[in-house]
Amino acid sequence: MSFLSWAPAGAPPLAAPADDGPGNPWFSWQYVQDNSDIILDKLGFHVGITIETVIIALLVALPLAVLAYWIKPLTGPILALSGVLYTIPSLALLALLAPLLGATSRVPVLIALVLYALLIVIRNALTGLTQVPDEVRDAAAGMGYGRYGRLWRVELPLALPGIVTGLRLATVSTVALVTIGSIIGNGGLGDLILGGFANNFYKAEILTGTVLCVALALILDLALAGFGRLLTPWSRRRAS
């Protein structure tokens, strides 16, 4: 069976035109109105799993970045391992995880997304930490800060721009990668895109999923950019 003949689990049959004529437009407000509940459900799933992925990736990646920052010989292995995980094809990774964790569960998708986000967050957090000026670290040590105090009060705050950049990149890439989960019926807006292919190339369904996916990535990126500016007011003053 071709993947084009497959429809996401739970997706209702749509009255898609069988031709490429005027009855199959790229945008159809009627389609949006008739399927608003499904669209909102898929959008909510997409937003939820994206936020969950980024939070878990941050909780795992930040300690690894600090470990690599403190113990230089571990930098190479940590980056290499996360890099290897990042290069695994997404379809192959889902094929490995789905039989173990449930072929229709969201857990394999979540694990795959977290693994892909790790390299981005680790690399940017480590870059932010290594860019803290030596004189700042020396001044903090002279003020009596130990390793942990210096990390929490000096180094991590100064590394925030790099960490936020990593979170922005990981968020945007995660929004795109969530759609791969449509192969097992847990792809959020990707279910609409793949479902459109399965429904006689239903253009309105494909475009709706695509536009919402792009819009979601832009909105989350702008939100994180604004949040980063709020957390680092000193960077705004330095830029001005």
Side-chain angles (χ1 to χ4, degrees):
M1 180 179 65
S2 168
F3 81 93
L4 294 180
S5 64
W6 176 91
L14 297 172
D19 56 31
D20 194 35
N24 187 17
W26 276 110
F27 177 77
S28 170
W29 183 245
Q30 187 65 45
Y31 162 78
V32 175
Q33 289 181 317
D34 292 345
N35 298 276
S36 58
D37 290 343
I38 298 171
I39 293 171
L40 290 176
D41 179 65
K42 299 300 182 183
L43 178 60
F45 178 90
H46 211 113
V47 172
I49 199 168
T50 297
I51 294 175
E52 194 174 351
T53 294
V54 174
I55 291 174
I56 295 174
L58 178 63
L59 293 177
V60 175
L62 194 56
L64 290 175
V66 171
L67 190 63
Y69 173 63
W70 280 348
I71 307 175
K72 302 302 181 184
L74 292 180
T75 302
I78 289 174
L79 291 177
L81 178 59
S82 57
V84 168
L85 294 173
Y86 190 80
T87 60
I88 299 175
S90 53
L91 292 179
L93 187 56
L94 276 180
L96 292 173
L97 294 174
L100 299 174
L101 302 171
T104 59
S105 170
R106 68 192 295 275
V107 177
V109 180
L110 179 61
I111 292 176
L113 293 173
V114 170
L115 293 180
Y116 288 130
L118 282 180
L119 176 64
I120 300 173
V121 181
I122 290 173
R123 182 171 289 174
N124 282 274
L126 184 57
T127 299
L129 287 169
T130 55
Q131 288 179 345
V132 176
D134 291 335
E135 57 269 24
V136 172
R137 287 194 290 266
D138 292 340
M143 293 173 63
Y145 286 117
R147 169 176 281 190
Y148 292 99
R150 190 165 65 245
L151 175 70
W152 286 107
R153 295 178 176 272
V154 178
E155 293 167 331
L156 280 179
L158 291 178
L160 273 176
I163 296 172
V164 172
T165 298
L167 290 178
R168 292 176 63 186
L169 292 172
T171 299
V172 171
S173 65
T174 298
V175 170
L177 285 170
V178 169
T179 58
I180 300 297
S182 59
I183 297 297
I184 60 173
N186 285 283
L189 296 171
D191 291 345
L192 299 179
I193 298 172
L194 190 55
F197 280 98
N199 287 307
N200 294 333
F201 198 72
Y202 196 177
K203 292 179 180 178
E205 188 175 11
I206 295 171
L207 186 64
T208 299
T210 303
V211 170
L212 287 176
C213 195
V214 174
L216 176 60
L218 290 174
I219 291 171
L220 291 178
D221 183 55
L222 290 174
L224 282 173
F227 184 64
R229 287 175 63 85
L230 288 176
L231 290 178
T232 57
W234 60 86
S235 64
R236 298 200 302 274
R237 290 195 295 266
R238 187 169 57 233
S240 60

